Amino acid sequence: MIAFGPVPSRRLGRSLGINNIPPKICTYACVYCQLGRTIKMQTERQSFYEPEEILQDVRDKVEKTRKAGEPIDYLTFVPDGEPTLDINLGREIESLKPLGIKIAVITNSSLIWREDVREALMQADWVSLKVDAVREGIWRRIDRPHGTLRLPSIQDWLLKFAKAYTGHLVTETMLVEGVNDGEEHLVEIADFLARLQPGIAYLAIPTRPPAEEWVRPPAEEAINRAYQILSQGVGQVEYLIGYEGNAFAFTGDVEQDLLSITAVHPMREDAVDEFLARAGTNRAVVRRLVAQDRLVEVGYRGHRFYLRRLGRHSKD
Ligand code: SF4
């Protein structure tokens, strides 16, 4: 099946997925890939499915979903490989527009140096670009790119694309312990993102079984540090950690709301106090969540922060 869902997504609301690449054909073989090892590595674009087949499948799914009275916020190209390898991507986006639903593409950015890829992405309403590393050695270790790809060229074209693109641009950075989470490297990523200026920079950690068994999410201290460093370069940074937290919808249940907010970003001590005061309660609830190991307290540059227990020790 090419079209799947719609599935709830914090970033995109109700998103109907489009799987326009057979498993797992990619330009990268990321160590953390949750689809397993790359079966076929290539950088040549080609046609995998007839565009008409994709369109028909999406149209059918949209019709069924609408008949069931369910809304769809985005049609999202999020395949089992790299979506820009599909040589018909631009045509497909164009043909889907009459459905009147916004279109999103989640790409690893590796083919952004190609004019036809940029032209296709330009047509989407929302584009997520992968920026896991800005140093050559780290890029090779974490994303394990096809031998013909060149990082300086990708970076150069990412900046040019970001400048010209008029839709909603976000970035995604997957943190892997001991690979790309060092302080110096994160400062370099923050500098690069400051030039790219995404609307939101998402920080992800591996939450599902990765391609390589040795891959681990960083500890909470390192995840908080990454958040603070990236925040110096980009206005808005959010976690993407597999919990569907929503920092902006309050349920009135203080415990749940604290877990939701900290699933999106860490909270500084003074923000927690302010939140608790507004809710007419005190620190007891935070102490309980820490005791239950659902919240973690970490220090960074003289401040205390509270984070959702994210990594490998997670109980949720
Ligand atoms: S770019 Fe995406 S699909 Fe390709 S190997 Fe990396 S995580 Fe997997």
Side-chain angles (χ1 to χ4, degrees), residues 31 141-142 144 176-179 210-217:
V31 290
R141 267 185 78 200
I142 190 165
R144 299 190 295 194
V176 174
E177 185 179 57
V179 181
E212 301 302 333
E213 265 180 37
W214 55 263
V215 166
R216 294 279 178 276

Side-chain angles (χ1 to χ4, degrees), residues 66-86:
R66 281 179 170 160
K67 264 194 191 142
E70 290 179 48
I72 303 171
D73 299 307
Y74 273 95
L75 301 175
T76 309
F77 285 85
V78 53
D80 293 340
E82 169 48 33
T84 61
L85 278 172
D86 177 1

Side-chain angles (χ1 to χ4, degrees), residues 248-259:
F248 313 104
F250 295 102
T251 62
D253 177 334
V254 180
E255 216 171 82
Q256 271 319 311
D257 288 345
L258 275 173
L259 290 173

